Amino acid sequence: MPIPLILFCLCLLFAPPALAEAPDLSALKRTGTGKVEKIIDGLTILLKDEKIIRLSGIDLPGAPGDPENPYALAAKAALENALPEGTDILIYQTRKAKIGRQNRMGHDLAHLVTKNGERWINGLLVEKGLARAFPTDNNPEMADALFTLEEQAIASKTALWAAQSAPVFTPEQAEKIIGHVAVIEGRVHKAAAVRNKLYLNFGADWKSDFTVMISPTIRKKLA
């Protein structure tokens, strides 16, 4: 009999210190400035010079551009309130010039701060419980500060951290949330080990259905 399985993708773990009111951005490089044209979605900002900024180090539940996603709508509204048209912003990016500054769509991955230095936009969304800390190998900077804000939001059960508020997706819906942290619940159709990697298949056709691959390193840790 297939066993119900809940999968939760966790990003890197850090032990965060207390967050200063004005975050230290010295781990990043200031790569430019700009003026806000409009908010595209809960993670994406269009500047007057037509540059598109994708907020790095954070993620939204589900698809950020989904008009039926309440978290995406709330995050977009928060950005519109914090960054009205014409707002001057400072752009900070990873110091690695060739890796981590752009996504595959050509959008700039960055942390934004209002020109007066009063608002760190990425941290603002996490603090309000509208986004989750999601540092990556290419953009690990500010992880400590983001996780501190996330812990505070979790403790106060703010927004998406309120009881039972985090959405759970089915394997059939997984295609819609590619590239995002999500909880997926389903039944394993078949398990197989290939070249020491463990595969959990949630459908009959592993080539097209949702499949989880567990690497040898993770298998050792699970053991």
Side-chain angles (χ1 to χ4, degrees), residues 23-35:
D24 179 8
L25 298 169
S26 61
L28 299 165
K29 180 180 177 65
R30 197 176 112 181
T31 56
T33 61
K35 280 185 180 290

Side-chain angles (χ1 to χ4, degrees):
M1 177 183 294
I3 301 173
L5 182 66
I6 295 179
L7 302 171
F8 187 55
C9 303
L10 296 176
C11 49
L12 304 177
L13 299 179
F14 298 83
L19 179 67
E21 196 164 329
D24 179 8
L25 298 169
S26 61
L28 299 165
K29 180 180 177 65
R30 197 176 112 181
T31 56
T33 61
K35 280 185 180 290
V36 174
E37 171 67 22
K38 71 174 182 178
I39 305 303
I40 296 176
D41 61 40
L43 289 177
T44 316
I45 298 98
L46 174 67
L47 303 184
K48 292 286 187 182
D49 61 3
E50 298 186 351
K51 180 180 293 184
I52 295 178
I53 301 292
R54 184 79 166 182
L55 299 177
S56 65
I58 64 175
D59 188 69
L60 302 179
D66 184 354
E68 297 183 1
N69 181 348
Y71 306 104
L73 294 176
K76 183 179 180 182
L79 288 182
E80 290 172 338
N81 181 63
L83 299 173
E85 182 182 353
T87 300
D88 291 308
I89 52 94
L90 306 177
I91 302 169
Y92 288 84
Q93 294 181 283
T94 180
R95 291 184 175 276
K96 299 169 290 186
K98 295 183 179 180
I99 301 176
R101 288 192 181 177
Q102 285 193 333
N103 62 16
R104 61 182 181 177
M105 302 297 292
H107 303 159
D108 283 10
L109 301 172
H111 288 262
L112 297 186
V113 179
T114 52
K115 191 173 183 180
N116 56 21
E118 292 180 358
R119 286 187 171 181
W120 170 37
I121 302 305
N122 308 52
L124 178 70
L125 293 181
V126 176
E127 183 179 32
K128 288 179 174 292
L130 300 176
R132 294 176 286 211
F134 189 46
T136 64
D137 289 345
N138 291 335
N139 284 278
E141 301 86 359
M142 305 305 295
D144 289 354
L146 289 169
F147 277 117
T148 294
L149 291 175
E150 183 176 89
E151 286 184 351
Q152 295 170 356
I154 292 172
S156 60
K157 296 184 178 180
T158 304
L160 69 90
W161 302 112
Q164 304 300 319
S165 66
V168 177
F169 297 90
T170 67
E172 291 72 28
Q173 296 171 317
E175 184 178 8
K176 299 178 180 179
I177 51 174
I178 289 175
H180 299 279
V181 176
V183 178
I184 299 175
E185 181 179 3
R187 291 181 179 273
V188 176
H189 179 80
K190 185 178 180 181
V194 181
R195 297 187 181 91
N196 210 26
K197 296 178 181 178
L198 180 63
Y199 293 88
L200 304 179
N201 302 318
F202 286 76
D205 183 5
W206 62 269
K207 293 182 180 180
S208 59
D209 292 324
F210 179 71
T211 298
V212 173
M213 186 276 287
I214 302 175
S215 69
T217 301
I218 299 301
R219 289 186 67 183
K220 289 180 181 179
K221 291 182 179 180
L222 290 175

